[in-house]
Amino acid sequence: MTASDDLEPTISVHLDRLLADRGMTLTELSQLVGVSTVNLSILKNGRAKAIRFTTLTALCEVLDCQPGDILSFRPRRNTVDLSDP
């Protein structure tokens, strides 16, 4: 394991899969959701630091999915055990 493994995001974004499943482009999604293609690209590539609930809601409506279909949580390998005194 490298030091960068500890720093990788613990939230993964699955827009690529959802777009492919629906035969939709990022540009089409952008137009339907009302969010710029640049901002959706940042989200899709896992570089976003945050997502507004309004954006997440619009994505779910347009893609006919649940938030868990767009985002998933992956625990870090070296997490701190807070139960250990």
Side-chain angles (χ1 to χ4, degrees):
M1 175 168 52
T2 66
S4 65
D5 289 336
D6 296 334
L7 302 176
E8 288 183 22
T10 58
I11 301 294
S12 298
V13 181
H14 308 290
L15 277 181
D16 277 339
R17 183 186 73 225
L18 291 168
L19 289 171
D21 288 350
R22 286 152 179 80
M24 184 182 293
T25 67
L26 195 64
T27 301
E28 291 170 325
L29 181 63
S30 170
Q31 293 168 350
L32 293 169
V33 174
V35 174
S36 74
T37 304
V38 171
N39 284 338
L40 284 181
S41 179
I42 290 168
L43 177 64
K44 179 178 73 83
N45 294 320
R47 295 188 318 252
K49 300 293 181 196
I51 183 171
R52 294 176 185 257
F53 281 138
T54 53
T55 301
L56 186 58
T57 299
L59 288 169
C60 288
E61 288 174 342
V62 168
L63 296 171
D64 190 28
C65 67
Q66 294 295 311
D69 297 325
I70 298 172
L71 305 171
S72 64
F73 172 71
R74 182 182 43 82
R76 294 177 195 245
R77 293 182 192 182
N78 290 335
T79 57
V80 177
D81 184 0
L82 298 177
S83 64
D84 191 23

